[in-house]
Amino acid sequence: ASNMLVIISLLAVWYTTSRVAGLTPGDKFDLANWKLTLPTLNSEGSALEVYPVDLSNHYESDWFYMDSDGAMTFYTTNGATTPNAKYPRSELRQLCNPNADDPEAYNWGIDSYNYVEGVYRVGELDDPDGRKVIIQQIHAYDAPPLVKIQYQSGGKVYALIKTDASGDTDEKPLLGTVDGNETFVLKTTIDYGYLKLYFNDELVVTRDVSFWSNYSNYFKAGNYMQ
């Protein structure tokens, strides 16, 4: 089913700024259709996941909190990972039907209209020369991501886009460049078989991705370090 979605967020990466006491991300942002993965262990030894019922009920942690400038902040260091993942993350995963018995099985197809949009700010990175951070994704269910938006040290923002249904190869167009830790706007849209990527409200990339029609998909947004 088609699901039009907007998330407006400010993203801070790698450093703790002024955390706000008494205000949590769920107090300001509608997180009813998201779950959160964190770089800390759960009782089973995997990355901790926090579901919408808790996100909407004043949840916060050292990895996910409100900053004094109104930012929903995702903080990540070396830590726990999800199965089959090499790197840790503090990242939201879209749940189209969070009340279902298997909420992760409800996703959307390429032949629909869906988008995710955010205002981002990337803070100080631990490796100023080589660090990369995935800040937005269109991920396929039980398959690779169709699109990963990647911020690189130095302020360049790239899109890694699959070129065919095998998911084996990517192209990597530059979306834009950020000066220091200034804010920038990203919008990732699926428009009935076409991928459209916007940087600071300018359409930068359009691709026919109808080859991805066999997959169901969902958005991710946050701080997935590389």
Side-chain angles (χ1 to χ4, degrees):
S2 177
N3 177 61
M4 188 172 71
L5 172 137
V6 184
I7 178 170
I8 304 298
S9 62
L10 288 170
L11 170 66
V13 177
W14 280 109
Y15 73 113
T16 303
T17 51
S18 301
R19 184 169 168 177
V20 176
L23 181 66
T24 67
D27 296 331
K28 181 175 179 180
F29 300 95
D30 183 0
L31 300 176
N33 288 91
W34 299 90
K35 77 170 184 178
L36 176 70
T37 302
L38 296 174
T40 188
L41 292 174
N42 62 18
S43 59
E44 298 176 352
S46 186
L48 178 66
E49 294 184 331
V50 184
Y51 283 82
V53 63
D54 293 315
L55 293 178
S56 301
N57 192 31
H58 314 297
Y59 178 84
E60 63 178 345
S61 73
D62 290 342
W63 317 107
F64 181 69
Y65 57 89
M66 290 299 297
D67 186 76
S68 58
D69 63 2
M72 177 165 55
T73 303
F74 302 80
Y75 178 68
T76 307
T77 61
N78 290 318
T81 66
T82 56
N84 304 316
K86 183 178 179 181
Y87 301 104
R89 69 190 78 200
S90 175
E91 186 182 43
L92 292 170
R93 192 268 201 212
Q94 180 190 19
L95 297 175
C96 294
N97 188 356
N99 297 318
D101 290 339
D102 184 5
E104 296 185 15
Y106 287 83
N107 302 291
W108 44 265
I110 291 299
D111 57 344
S112 61
Y113 182 81
N114 298 275
Y115 71 95
V116 62
E117 182 175 20
V119 182
Y120 291 84
R121 174 170 54 83
V122 179
E124 181 180 351
L125 303 178
D126 66 330
D127 180 358
D129 297 320
R131 179 63 66 197
K132 302 172 184 177
V133 183
I134 303 300
I135 56 178
Q136 238 180 55
Q137 299 188 62
I138 295 177
H139 208 294
Y141 182 61
D142 286 340
L146 172 63
V147 183
K148 296 188 290 186
I149 307 299
Q150 181 186 83
Y151 177 95
Q152 294 190 2
S153 297
K156 294 186 182 297
V157 181
Y158 291 93
L160 283 70
I161 307 170
K162 297 302 181 188
T163 57
D164 58 47
S166 72
D168 294 334
T169 57
D170 300 292
E171 61 166 319
K172 189 179 178 180
L174 176 68
L175 300 183
T177 302
V178 180
D179 184 12
N181 67 343
E182 68 180 1
T183 61
F184 57 100
V185 182
L186 287 175
K187 182 179 180 181
T188 298
T189 302
I190 289 295
D191 190 352
Y192 298 98
Y194 286 87
L195 170 69
K196 298 179 180 180
L197 301 177
Y198 298 81
F199 185 85
N200 285 338
D201 299 320
E202 179 182 352
L203 179 60
V204 180
V205 171
T206 301
R207 296 287 187 273
D208 183 346
V209 291
S210 55
F211 59 78
W212 207 249
S213 60
N214 288 333
Y215 299 109
S216 61
N217 306 274
Y218 52 89
F219 289 117
K220 304 189 84 173
N223 173 2
Y224 179 24
M225 78 175 207
Q226 307 286 289

